[in-house]
Amino acid sequence: NAGVTQTPKFQVLKTGQSMTLQCAQDMNHEYMSWYRQDPGMGLRLIHYSVGAGITDQGEVPNGYNVSRSTTEDFPLRLLSAAPSQTSVYFCASGASAGTGELFFGEGSRLTVL
Amino acid sequence: RKEVEQDPGPFNVPEGATVAFNCTYSNSASQSFFWYRQDCRKEPKLLMSVYSSGNEDGRFTAQLNRASQYISLLIRDSKLSDSATYLCVVLNQAGTALIFGKGTTLSVSS
């Protein structure tokens, strides 16, 4: 019963470093997405994908890259980390956004110093 | 104006109370609406969809008022286990993304 698996769960970076947050789902979902959650800001969409090979930007895409080479995986890359990217990151998947049912990973807590 | 707005609360109620949360959305073309629940330091989970005719799931009732562009969630007979943040969610017009409100925090005490 893996569902959506995110790694790492915790990460501390220095400003300017790059890293990749991994996300994998085993439910054969076409739709995958990344959100960040900050106090007072709620969940904000970073990038999403409606299927392998297709990605699009959400509300706050700057500083992040994604790719979707397989149905199962949707990694989020931070190109040059900034303190403003300190946040909790959630990966979510679903059959489609239209169903309204997204399954979220447990979150990755990132701190950028 | 934010696409989805909620009163952040917190709402502090005793066990057994009835509590209602409201949410407003800005895009009149929005078609699909949902409520999610998020426990402290956990991931969000779908609580229920919101249908035009209103819908009920046990102690939870969701209603939609398209004319006023607001969505409500009513919780009857509150339990301690209902303590959580409730997120109002709207499907964007393109049908490609879920837009989350900032959430309303509920604390139920004995």
Side-chain angles (χ1 to χ4, degrees):
Chain A
N1 295 337
V4 179
T5 303
Q6 288 182 233
T7 56
K9 287 187 168 46
F10 301 94
Q11 182 72 48
V12 179
L13 290 177
K14 294 181 180 178
T15 297
Q17 288 185 315
S18 62
M19 77 157 298
T20 299
L21 297 176
Q22 301 290 346
C23 177
Q25 52 93 7
D26 62 359
M27 296 172 282
N28 201 32
H29 286 156
E30 289 294 326
Y31 184 86
M32 296 186 75
S33 55
W34 277 102
Y35 288 86
R36 60 177 289 175
Q37 188 172 36
D38 304 291
M41 298 298 293
L43 282 157
R44 292 182 292 169
L45 183 64
I46 304 171
H47 285 284
Y48 66 94
S49 169
V50 298
I54 306 169
T55 64
D56 208 342
Q57 297 182 348
E59 179 185 356
V60 288
N62 292 341
Y64 307 95
N65 273 357
V66 292
S67 60
R68 185 92 181 273
S69 56
T70 67
T71 299
E72 294 79 20
D73 300 298
F74 191 44
L76 178 72
R77 297 182 187 83
L78 280 70
L79 308 173
S80 177
S84 61
Q85 293 179 303
T86 294
S87 189
V88 180
Y89 291 85
F90 287 101
C91 178
S93 75
S96 72
T99 67
E101 185 167 29
L102 293 184
F103 296 86
F104 283 78
E106 294 182 339
S108 298
R109 190 172 296 271
L110 175 67
T111 301
V112 183
L113 303 175
Chain B
R1 180 183 173 188
K2 284 286 287 181
E3 286 198 58
V4 183
E5 296 202 58
Q6 297 181 250
D7 180 345
F11 284 63
N12 298 304
V13 303
E15 276 185 292
T18 296
V19 61
F21 308 135
N22 289 330
C23 162
T24 59
Y25 60 95
S26 61
N27 189 341
S28 60
S30 298
Q31 294 294 320
S32 301
F33 311 90
F34 313 92
W35 283 100
Y36 271 67
R37 170 190 169 131
Q38 185 174 23
D39 293 328
C40 188
R41 301 179 79 83
K42 297 287 190 180
E43 71 273 20
K45 294 182 180 179
L46 177 65
L47 178 66
M48 60 196 302
S49 301
V50 185
Y51 302 124
S52 296
S53 56
N55 51 301
E56 190 173 304
D57 183 1
R59 297 180 293 108
F60 298 81
T61 301
Q63 292 195 312
L64 169 65
N65 183 320
R66 288 191 184 274
S68 301
Q69 293 179 217
Y70 83 76
I71 306 147
S72 64
L73 177 67
L74 182 77
I75 305 176
R76 291 181 299 277
D77 189 22
S78 298
K79 311 291 185 190
L80 293 175
S81 57
D82 294 334
S83 296
T85 296
Y86 291 85
L87 305 168
C88 177
V89 183
V90 177
L91 180 65
N92 70 352
Q93 189 171 356
T96 56
L98 294 181
I99 310 301
F100 285 75
K102 295 179 182 179
T104 298
T105 299
L106 172 66
S107 178
V108 182
S109 57
S110 59

